[in-house]
Amino acid sequence: MIEPKTILISGATGLVGQPLCEALQARGHTVRQLSRGANGDFKWDVSAGQLDPASMQDVDVVIHLAGESVAQRWTAAAKARILLSRVDGTKLLVDAILQQAKRPAFIAASGISYYGIIRPDSLEESAASGDGFLAEVTRQWEGAAQPLSDAGVRVAFLRTGIVLSRQGGALAKMLLPFKLGLGGRIGSGQQLMSWISLPDLVAAYVFAVENKAVDGPINAVAPSPVSNQEFTKTLGCVVGRPTIFPLPRAIVKALFGEMGKETVLSDLGVLPKRLTQLGFEWQTPSLAATLRQTIYQD
Ligand SMILES: NC(=O)c1ccc[n+]([C@@H]2O[C@H](COP(=O)([O-])OP(=O)(O)OC[C@H]3O[C@@H](n4cnc5c(N)ncnc54)[C@H](OP(=O)(O)O)[C@@H]3O)[C@@H](O)[C@H]2O)c1
């Protein structure tokens, strides 16, 4: 029997948040959405340091997904928004949690960029953090929750890989060129992509909500990373098109700048050691099955 919980979710309107709210509600949990806009149940304003105190009342778990999109040109202003929306958002939630008589658990998004940019070795959760702007963002994002860990509150960070969805993210951008037969490997194609299907990521959050043993950093990725070359070939097969138009590294850099270097061209071989140990079961561990399901069924 699942114990029903009351869950406050920031960023509930986003790519991950929307199906997560549905999945939690379908399992009998009560979801409260915390949003900057009028769509949520409760409002907050991260830059003004404002959070409706009623949002925290009798909450069992806080899930923090909110953050400025990383998929944009990284001007100085954009970088500040990417960093501060996550770090200041975490601080605001952490302060509010610490004021509660019964402190809710804190489950937050993070990214595999914690490990850096070029790390094709097998990266488990114990691996050290690496280079780059996003690694710095994730260190500060996770670090902002340290007061909760110090106070004995359960804290889990889902270091999320490339989320495969038709609705948004990397796959959504690649789909049209691949369907037109204009797809191809990126750069050398040797770089590893550590990916996860959106339904499996949602299931990992639900798993983290319902299992008190889930704490600390959690690599939220499928069991096997693939090279960009293999990803390209598999996606071409699934959409039934050739993949003969490589996208050279120099073009990626010219189009996307630093963002391209740290995302599209990154080479990270991340392994989900903790999820495996905790007994999490992936619905779609294979890339081909995930792509077929994501493109033609979900
Ligand atoms: N999708 C991926 O591939 C991926 C990979 C690694 C990590 N992650 C992380 O996982 C989390 C959820 O991802 P997602 O793809 O669902 O994100 P998303 O679709 O971009 O949505 C995030 C939500 O954050 C809120 N938000 C946006 N800009 C904000 C700002 N400047 N300040 C405060 N809140 C802001 C918005 O909610 P409101 O408008 O309702 O406030 C938005 O719906 C993010 O933190 C992301 O960095 C995602």
Side-chain angles (χ1 to χ4, degrees):
M1 248 257 311
I2 307 159
E3 188 193 334
K5 293 186 190 297
T6 299
I7 302 158
L8 178 69
I9 309 187
S10 78
T13 52
L15 180 71
V16 178
Q18 289 183 46
L20 177 58
C21 290
E22 284 170 23
L24 289 167
Q25 282 163 336
R27 290 174 71 81
H29 301 299
T30 302
V31 168
R32 293 181 187 169
Q33 301 196 351
L34 183 63
S35 177
R36 295 165 303 166
N39 291 337
D41 303 309
F42 293 94
K43 275 192 89 159
W44 72 335
D45 181 337
V46 174
S47 48
Q50 288 167 352
L51 169 69
D52 182 345
S55 64
M56 280 279 172
Q57 261 167 27
D58 302 319
V59 164
D60 300 300
V61 180
V62 173
I63 301 181
H64 178 34
L65 302 174
E68 172 83 15
S69 174
V70 164
Q72 58 181 303
R73 214 165 226 289
W74 289 356
T75 59
K79 281 169 115 172
R81 286 195 304 271
I82 290 168
L83 177 73
L84 294 178
S85 59
R86 288 171 173 79
V87 177
D88 290 355
T90 303
K91 285 182 183 160
L92 203 48
L93 293 169
V94 164
D95 287 348
I97 290 173
L98 288 172
Q99 284 165 27
Q100 305 305 306
K102 189 178 142 254
R103 291 162 176 169
F106 184 69
I107 299 170
S110 180
I112 57 169
S113 304
Y114 174 86
Y115 300 109
I117 307 170
I118 310 287
R119 303 268 309 263
D121 40 327
S122 302
L123 296 164
E124 296 175 348
E125 287 84 352
S126 56
S129 186
D131 300 330
F133 167 66
L134 289 181
E136 179 59 32
V137 169
T138 52
R139 278 194 298 273
Q140 290 197 32
W141 194 2
E142 296 188 10
Q146 189 58 43
L148 289 183
S149 307
D150 294 344
V153 176
R154 179 165 79 94
V155 174
F157 272 99
L158 271 66
R159 290 182 183 157
T160 306
I162 301 164
V163 180
L164 298 185
S165 164
R166 213 176 44 197
Q167 270 74 43
L171 179 64
K173 291 193 177 69
M174 293 161 91
L175 213 44
L176 182 61
F178 272 75
K179 281 183 170 171
L180 294 172
L182 299 171
R185 66 165 202 271
I186 299 173
S188 71
Q190 298 306 304
Q191 69 276 21
L192 286 176
M193 299 172 67
S194 296
W195 58 277
I196 186 165
S197 73
L198 182 55
D200 274 334
L201 178 59
V202 166
Y205 274 102
V206 173
F207 185 75
V209 165
E210 295 176 356
N211 290 277
K212 291 199 168 88
V214 181
D215 67 355
I218 305 286
N219 288 344
V221 292
S224 310
V226 295
S227 68
N228 172 262
Q229 178 83 46
E230 188 180 341
F231 185 94
T232 302
K233 222 172 84 192
T234 310
L235 180 54
C237 278
V238 168
V239 299
R241 289 284 185 274
T243 52
I244 51 173
F245 293 101
L247 185 57
R249 217 183 141 75
I251 305 260
V252 174
K253 282 190 171 165
L255 284 176
F256 306 114
E258 190 184 0
M259 190 274 280
K261 187 178 139 215
E262 290 204 19
T263 57
V264 185
L265 294 170
S266 70
D267 183 6
L268 294 171
V270 180
L271 300 180
K273 183 174 181 197
R274 291 276 293 129
L275 278 181
T276 308
Q277 281 174 338
L278 289 159
F280 178 76
E281 290 177 15
W282 283 261
Q283 295 160 36
T284 48
S286 110
L287 179 63
T290 294
L291 290 174
R292 269 195 299 275
Q293 184 177 313
T294 307
I295 295 168
Y296 297 113
Q297 291 170 28
D298 287 344

